[in-house]
Amino acid sequence: ANVSTPTAKRITTMFAQLARRAVRPAATAAARRQFADAAPAAGLMKLNFNLPQETLYDAVNVKSVVVPGATGEYEVTADHVPIVAEMKAGMLTINHEDGEEEKYFVAGGFSLTHEGSTTDIVCPEAVKLDDIDAAAVTKNFEAAKAKAASAEAGSIEAAEAMIEVETNKAMGNALGLAMA
């Protein structure tokens, strides 16, 4: 069955709402990294990380990025072969040159790695993993499972409930929670 444009818009909006419900209220403003204009140093790559409403990274030098690809997780480092990949909901890890790791939960999107050690991450929603409330994710996961169980098979409600289940499961897995 074809998904109508209004239904697709509702599903996209739902992803954003799910991510916002699991974010701690004090952590809604994401910190932006400093701009970097020079070419990446040896062993480093440039990262551009964009959401529709803001840019989190703009040509920032990093050591690597671990991407939750739709066909499997992979790591992009300096001089990586060009690749375009769809991302699934999951954890995106940015490894900085000083050894610091920064983790985000992403609701999907795309990763584009270009020649010249530059990678663009584009996704509809991203939340720092440290800003996600594990209790809220567990609560939302259980509520979504109940909603899915009570929805009529094949209905829009059933599809939306399964998206909620899978998104909350992916958030829980990123946090190291046992989600069943």
Side-chain angles (χ1 to χ4, degrees):
N2 290 336
V3 178
S4 67
T5 302
T7 301
K9 278 183 152 182
R10 275 190 6 204
I11 290 170
T12 301
T13 301
M14 187 171 54
F15 270 121
Q17 291 170 345
L18 285 169
R20 280 192 292 273
R21 276 191 275 169
V23 176
R24 294 185 183 111
T28 55
R32 261 176 82 158
R33 290 280 172 174
Q34 297 296 328
F35 290 88
D37 294 324
L44 298 177
M45 56 177 278
K46 285 201 178 292
L47 175 64
N48 300 307
F49 186 3
N50 297 290
L51 309 176
Q53 70 277 11
E54 70 180 309
T55 296
L56 300 176
Y57 285 77
D58 187 355
V60 175
N61 289 334
V62 298
K63 186 175 175 183
S64 68
V65 180
V66 180
V67 177
T71 59
E73 181 179 276
Y74 65 97
E75 184 171 19
V76 178
T77 58
D79 299 319
H80 195 282
V81 296
I83 184 172
V84 175
E86 181 180 1
M87 294 188 307
K88 66 180 179 181
M91 184 169 45
L92 178 102
T93 304
I94 300 166
N95 296 304
H96 296 280
E97 56 186 306
D98 63 3
E100 175 192 350
E101 259 189 0
E102 192 170 12
K103 297 180 179 190
Y104 287 85
F105 176 80
V106 295
F110 290 90
S111 172
L112 299 89
T113 298
H114 312 273
E115 286 186 37
S117 298
T118 298
T119 294
D120 298 320
I121 302 291
V122 182
C123 57
E125 196 73 35
V127 179
K128 274 192 165 187
L129 204 59
D130 293 341
D131 296 341
I132 298 176
D133 182 343
V137 171
T138 301
K139 178 183 169 191
N140 293 341
F141 177 70
E142 293 302 325
K145 284 194 326 186
K147 189 174 168 184
S150 66
E152 181 182 332
S155 68
I156 289 174
E157 291 78 18
E160 290 175 347
M162 286 310 301
I163 290 169
E164 285 186 48
V165 167
E166 292 303 317
T167 301
N168 281 290
K169 185 176 184 178
M171 274 193 254
N173 290 339
L175 291 169
L177 302 173
M179 307 298 279

